[in-house]
Amino acid sequence: MKKLAVLAAAMLLSGCVTAETMMLDDRTAIISGSGDEYSSAARVQRRVFVEAATAAQARGYRYFIIQNSRDTTTTGTRALPTQTFANAQANTNCGYVTCNTSAYGQSQTFGGGVQQVIQPGMDVLVRFYREEEVDPEREGVWDAAAILAAQPKK
């Protein structure tokens, strides 16, 4: 029950990530979750749990067990833009016969470089169970109804 309370509290902070279900048979699925560069791995994991719970209930199951998981996080780089600021000034002095012009200026460039981009992701293999098929007190058994009940109402 303690792990469910921690999961429920963490789900309240869930951000914008995606997850989808691919059924392998009537009770086994791969749940794939991914986030953008502003998402944390914890947010992706929470979204995967909610997707697994949703898939379980939609198929008439109450519980699920994660059989296997794989980190699908991707990393890459992005070029940062540069910005150049220029300042120029010209002066002209004229006498009776001639004019003298002088000019000076300076520029300064900011930014640029490369930034590392991390997009968290994970795939989990889950197996669904009905109430009479598994001991809900067994470690690693997740209650789909409890996970969904802990979600904020939209």
Side-chain angles (χ1 to χ4, degrees):
M1 196 58 161
K2 184 178 178 182
K3 69 179 178 180
L4 184 59
V6 171
L7 182 63
M11 285 182 191
L12 293 174
L13 304 173
S14 187
C16 183
V17 297
T18 61
E20 61 185 25
T21 301
M22 182 178 72
M23 294 301 296
L24 300 178
D25 60 35
D26 64 329
R27 66 172 49 228
T28 308
I30 295 176
I31 313 291
S32 298
S34 62
D36 62 16
E37 63 191 89
Y38 304 108
S39 302
S40 68
R43 285 183 179 173
V44 171
Q45 183 179 25
R46 285 188 297 272
R47 183 65 189 103
V48 165
F49 271 77
V50 170
E51 180 70 17
T54 301
Q57 274 201 340
R59 290 161 178 81
Y61 297 101
R62 172 74 187 262
Y63 302 102
F64 65 92
I65 295 175
I66 296 174
Q67 309 247 305
N68 198 356
S69 66
R70 182 173 63 110
D71 183 4
T72 61
T73 298
T74 60
T75 58
T77 57
R78 170 180 52 218
L80 297 175
T82 59
Q83 204 168 20
T84 301
F85 296 95
N87 182 0
Q89 185 173 358
N91 293 320
T92 302
N93 294 321
C94 293
Y96 290 110
V97 179
T98 62
C99 287
N100 293 321
T101 301
S102 63
Y104 65 93
Q106 63 183 11
S107 68
Q108 198 166 13
T109 301
F110 297 96
V114 176
Q115 179 183 33
Q116 183 178 28
V117 176
I118 300 172
Q119 295 177 306
M122 68 182 306
D123 289 340
V124 295
L125 178 67
V126 297
R127 185 143 175 97
F128 303 123
Y129 297 90
R130 291 187 174 78
E131 288 190 46
E132 65 280 355
E133 296 176 328
V134 68
D135 177 6
E137 298 301 316
R138 187 176 120 198
E139 187 174 340
V141 176
W142 294 92
D143 185 338
I147 290 171
L148 295 176
Q151 289 300 295
K153 302 296 180 223
K154 293 181 180 179

